[in-house]
Amino acid sequence: MGLDLSGRAYRQQRWAARTALAAGGLAVLVPLAYGGVGGVLLLVAGAAGLGLSAVAVWWTLTLRGPVRWAAATVAVALPAALVALFAATLFWALLASVALWTVAVWSGRYALRGTGSARVRVMRERKAAPPKRAVLIMNPRSGGGKVDRFALKEKAERLGAQVVLLDPDQPQDVTALARKAVAEGADLLGVAGGDGTQARVAAVAAAYDIPFLVISAGTRNHFAMDLGLDRDDPAACLDALGDGVELRVDLGFANGRPFVNNASFGAYAAIVQSPGYRDDKIGTSLELLPDLLTRQQGPRLTARAAGTTLEAPHAVLVSNNPYRTDDPFGFGRRDRLDAGVLGVLGVRVDSAAEAAALLLDPAPAGLTILTATEVVIEADRPEIEAGIDGEALVLPAPVHCRITPGALRVRVPRKRPGVPPRAPRLDWRLLRKLAATVGRTAVHRRGPFL
């Protein structure tokens, strides 16, 4: 089936493709022409410098004492020296190359819009009647005091919701509070707090099949971001109590522990278990990483997912739906929360050379990215450190991660920022086709969804 582009829109895409190809070619040729053989040598030096910087970072993380600080100096100074070298030798050619590449990227993405190369099915909205008895659990300390700063309790009560305010000085079981609210007739549960608290209450809402309201009052609010909510104004999330719609999203579990974002295992999960991590994150990490990365401490993990076995990874991240990994402007976002699959990201780096490959190789052997409905994390010890939605836990091994498709009914405001669309991937082959076409059906349409 051909790509039916007509009239003015077709011509604009065709010329945008030609502009992208021309600008991309000039972005490479200008510094080479300006610098001649020296320009080629500078490009080689730049690639080598990046590799050496990665090696220096690896030594910084795995060594101790004076050698570590020497490596850290190289890791910082070498990139700075390369930038200064390029600026001193190429002058305006470097700036022109950057500008041309910017034009190439913008024009290329414009040209590829409508070709199907970046279409992602959005989550379906469903009409929903306002709740009759909404119960919202709020943590006044979350996000540096956003509950008080945005007057969330007062606004929620004006909208008819019952607010349960957690006591900062006395730990409370939010799961028990949520179950009690349902037993007393709540037909909607909501949370103003971090993602870990969101997950525990969300699991109760899913178990009773009642709507769940996310209020972006945490520190990072990753779940709220991927729902398209306003992270800068948590009070706007409360608009869903009146003018709201429902989304059906998935819920992840690790040994029965729910997560809305991810479960991490390996070096990072081991570091956050340290008592000193909260007070000195950098110092604690630098103290523990040498032994963790060289396998002198920490469990030896094995991850199994979708027929693939990851042997001895340093870190494994299991996410509720996969994160974007190929879009630098949307890295860490999820396009959907209802695809019914877990995202799996595994990293293994055993040497300085592998650290350099992780940076320079487009498909490094030490990086594994895949999707699965179940993931099993095994270890050479009876327990595994884990980070579940940012909370440090220790789980019995093996850890079974699974996803429950469409388990959670999330109520969101009908008017909200939404999830920014994924930019089209720069497909130079398709751009060449677009640029060369003279008819209207020369470029084949890709599938409607990724």
PDB file of all heavy atoms in Angstrom, residues 305-320:
ATOM      1  N   ALA A 305      14.257 -14.094  30.920  1.00  0.00           N
ATOM      2  CA  ALA A 305      13.081 -13.404  30.387  1.00  0.00           C
ATOM      3  C   ALA A 305      12.950 -13.696  28.903  1.00  0.00           C
ATOM      4  O   ALA A 305      13.938 -13.577  28.156  1.00  0.00           O
ATOM      5  CB  ALA A 305      13.193 -11.897  30.604  1.00  0.00           C
ATOM      6  N   ALA A 306      11.766 -14.089  28.473  1.00  0.00           N
ATOM      7  CA  ALA A 306      11.445 -14.274  27.055  1.00  0.00           C
ATOM      8  C   ALA A 306      12.463 -15.164  26.344  1.00  0.00           C
ATOM      9  O   ALA A 306      12.882 -14.877  25.226  1.00  0.00           O
ATOM     10  CB  ALA A 306      11.351 -12.918  26.358  1.00  0.00           C
ATOM     11  N   GLY A 307      12.871 -16.251  26.990  1.00  0.00           N
ATOM     12  CA  GLY A 307      13.817 -17.164  26.377  1.00  0.00           C
ATOM     13  C   GLY A 307      15.256 -16.701  26.396  1.00  0.00           C
ATOM     14  O   GLY A 307      16.136 -17.371  25.840  1.00  0.00           O
ATOM     15  N   THR A 308      15.539 -15.563  27.014  1.00  0.00           N
ATOM     16  CA  THR A 308      16.895 -15.018  27.097  1.00  0.00           C
ATOM     17  C   THR A 308      17.399 -15.114  28.532  1.00  0.00           C
ATOM     18  O   THR A 308      16.652 -14.839  29.471  1.00  0.00           O
ATOM     19  CB  THR A 308      16.917 -13.540  26.644  1.00  0.00           C
ATOM     20  OG1 THR A 308      16.460 -13.453  25.295  1.00  0.00           O
ATOM     21  CG2 THR A 308      18.322 -12.967  26.738  1.00  0.00           C
ATOM     22  N   THR A 309      18.656 -15.508  28.682  1.00  0.00           N
ATOM     23  CA  THR A 309      19.278 -15.587  30.001  1.00  0.00           C
ATOM     24  C   THR A 309      20.394 -14.565  30.099  1.00  0.00           C
ATOM     25  O   THR A 309      21.298 -14.539  29.256  1.00  0.00           O
ATOM     26  CB  THR A 309      19.848 -16.998  30.262  1.00  0.00           C
ATOM     27  OG1 THR A 309      18.790 -17.961  30.194  1.00  0.00           O
ATOM     28  CG2 THR A 309      20.497 -17.054  31.641  1.00  0.00           C
ATOM     29  N   LEU A 310      20.316 -13.721  31.101  1.00  0.00           N
ATOM     30  CA  LEU A 310      21.362 -12.728  31.362  1.00  0.00           C
ATOM     31  C   LEU A 310      22.222 -13.260  32.496  1.00  0.00           C
ATOM     32  O   LEU A 310      21.770 -13.361  33.640  1.00  0.00           O
ATOM     33  CB  LEU A 310      20.755 -11.378  31.753  1.00  0.00           C
ATOM     34  CG  LEU A 310      20.150 -10.491  30.664  1.00  0.00           C
ATOM     35  CD1 LEU A 310      18.897 -11.123  30.070  1.00  0.00           C
ATOM     36  CD2 LEU A 310      19.812  -9.116  31.218  1.00  0.00           C
ATOM     37  N   GLU A 311      23.456 -13.625  32.186  1.00  0.00           N
ATOM     38  CA  GLU A 311      24.358 -14.186  33.176  1.00  0.00           C
ATOM     39  C   GLU A 311      25.159 -13.078  33.864  1.00  0.00           C
ATOM     40  O   GLU A 311      25.805 -12.270  33.212  1.00  0.00           O
ATOM     41  CB  GLU A 311      25.321 -15.173  32.511  1.00  0.00           C
ATOM     42  CG  GLU A 311      24.650 -16.422  31.941  1.00  0.00           C
ATOM     43  CD  GLU A 311      24.196 -17.393  33.021  1.00  0.00           C
ATOM     44  OE1 GLU A 311      24.503 -17.148  34.211  1.00  0.00           O
ATOM     45  OE2 GLU A 311      23.537 -18.391  32.680  1.00  0.00           O
ATOM     46  N   ALA A 312      25.087 -13.070  35.165  1.00  0.00           N
ATOM     47  CA  ALA A 312      25.871 -12.168  36.013  1.00  0.00           C
ATOM     48  C   ALA A 312      25.795 -10.706  35.602  1.00  0.00           C
ATOM     49  O   ALA A 312      26.824 -10.025  35.484  1.00  0.00           O
ATOM     50  CB  ALA A 312      27.333 -12.626  36.042  1.00  0.00           C
ATOM     51  N   PRO A 313      24.606 -10.151  35.373  1.00  0.00           N
ATOM     52  CA  PRO A 313      24.523  -8.714  35.075  1.00  0.00           C
ATOM     53  C   PRO A 313      24.848  -7.884  36.319  1.00  0.00           C
ATOM     54  O   PRO A 313      24.585  -8.306  37.448  1.00  0.00           O
ATOM     55  CB  PRO A 313      23.063  -8.535  34.650  1.00  0.00           C
ATOM     56  CG  PRO A 313      22.328  -9.603  35.397  1.00  0.00           C
ATOM     57  CD  PRO A 313      23.271 -10.775  35.464  1.00  0.00           C
ATOM     58  N   HIS A 314      25.416  -6.717  36.102  1.00  0.00           N
ATOM     59  CA  HIS A 314      25.655  -5.816  37.229  1.00  0.00           C
ATOM     60  C   HIS A 314      24.371  -5.131  37.675  1.00  0.00           C
ATOM     61  O   HIS A 314      24.235  -4.732  38.837  1.00  0.00           O
ATOM     62  CB  HIS A 314      26.692  -4.752  36.848  1.00  0.00           C
ATOM     63  CG  HIS A 314      28.091  -5.261  36.840  1.00  0.00           C
ATOM     64  ND1 HIS A 314      28.736  -5.637  35.688  1.00  0.00           N
ATOM     65  CD2 HIS A 314      28.972  -5.488  37.845  1.00  0.00           C
ATOM     66  CE1 HIS A 314      29.958  -6.052  35.983  1.00  0.00           C
ATOM     67  NE2 HIS A 314      30.127  -5.977  37.272  1.00  0.00           N
ATOM     68  N   ALA A 315      23.445  -4.957  36.753  1.00  0.00           N
ATOM     69  CA  ALA A 315      22.176  -4.308  37.088  1.00  0.00           C
ATOM     70  C   ALA A 315      21.100  -4.816  36.156  1.00  0.00           C
ATOM     71  O   ALA A 315      21.350  -5.052  34.964  1.00  0.00           O
ATOM     72  CB  ALA A 315      22.295  -2.789  36.981  1.00  0.00           C
ATOM     73  N   VAL A 316      19.894  -4.966  36.705  1.00  0.00           N
ATOM     74  CA  VAL A 316      18.721  -5.346  35.913  1.00  0.00           C
ATOM     75  C   VAL A 316      17.581  -4.424  36.322  1.00  0.00           C
ATOM     76  O   VAL A 316      17.291  -4.277  37.519  1.00  0.00           O
ATOM     77  CB  VAL A 316      18.309  -6.814  36.139  1.00  0.00           C
ATOM     78  CG1 VAL A 316      17.068  -7.147  35.312  1.00  0.00           C
ATOM     79  CG2 VAL A 316      19.446  -7.764  35.785  1.00  0.00           C
ATOM     80  N   LEU A 317      16.954  -3.817  35.354  1.00  0.00           N
ATOM     81  CA  LEU A 317      15.798  -2.952  35.602  1.00  0.00           C
ATOM     82  C   LEU A 317      14.593  -3.579  34.915  1.00  0.00           C
ATOM     83  O   LEU A 317      14.598  -3.787  33.694  1.00  0.00           O
ATOM     84  CB  LEU A 317      16.041  -1.549  35.052  1.00  0.00           C
ATOM     85  CG  LEU A 317      14.931  -0.530  35.324  1.00  0.00           C
ATOM     86  CD1 LEU A 317      14.943  -0.111  36.785  1.00  0.00           C
ATOM     87  CD2 LEU A 317      15.091   0.696  34.435  1.00  0.00           C
ATOM     88  N   VAL A 318      13.570  -3.888  35.696  1.00  0.00           N
ATOM     89  CA  VAL A 318      12.325  -4.459  35.177  1.00  0.00           C
ATOM     90  C   VAL A 318      11.248  -3.399  35.337  1.00  0.00           C
ATOM     91  O   VAL A 318      10.962  -2.958  36.458  1.00  0.00           O
ATOM     92  CB  VAL A 318      11.937  -5.746  35.929  1.00  0.00           C
ATOM     93  CG1 VAL A 318      10.643  -6.322  35.360  1.00  0.00           C
ATOM     94  CG2 VAL A 318      13.061  -6.776  35.854  1.00  0.00           C
ATOM     95  N   SER A 319      10.656  -2.974  34.229  1.00  0.00           N
ATOM     96  CA  SER A 319       9.711  -1.850  34.278  1.00  0.00           C
ATOM     97  C   SER A 319       8.306  -2.271  33.879  1.00  0.00           C
ATOM     98  O   SER A 319       8.116  -3.200  33.082  1.00  0.00           O
ATOM     99  CB  SER A 319      10.184  -0.716  33.359  1.00  0.00           C
ATOM    100  OG  SER A 319      10.315  -1.158  32.026  1.00  0.00           O
ATOM    101  N   ASN A 320       7.347  -1.579  34.443  1.00  0.00           N
ATOM    102  CA  ASN A 320       5.942  -1.744  34.075  1.00  0.00           C
ATOM    103  C   ASN A 320       5.732  -1.057  32.730  1.00  0.00           C
ATOM    104  O   ASN A 320       5.499   0.140  32.666  1.00  0.00           O
ATOM    105  CB  ASN A 320       5.060  -1.122  35.167  1.00  0.00           C
ATOM    106  CG  ASN A 320       3.576  -1.126  34.811  1.00  0.00           C
ATOM    107  OD1 ASN A 320       3.141  -1.806  33.895  1.00  0.00           O
ATOM    108  ND2 ASN A 320       2.810  -0.337  35.537  1.00  0.00           N
TER     109      ASN A 320
END
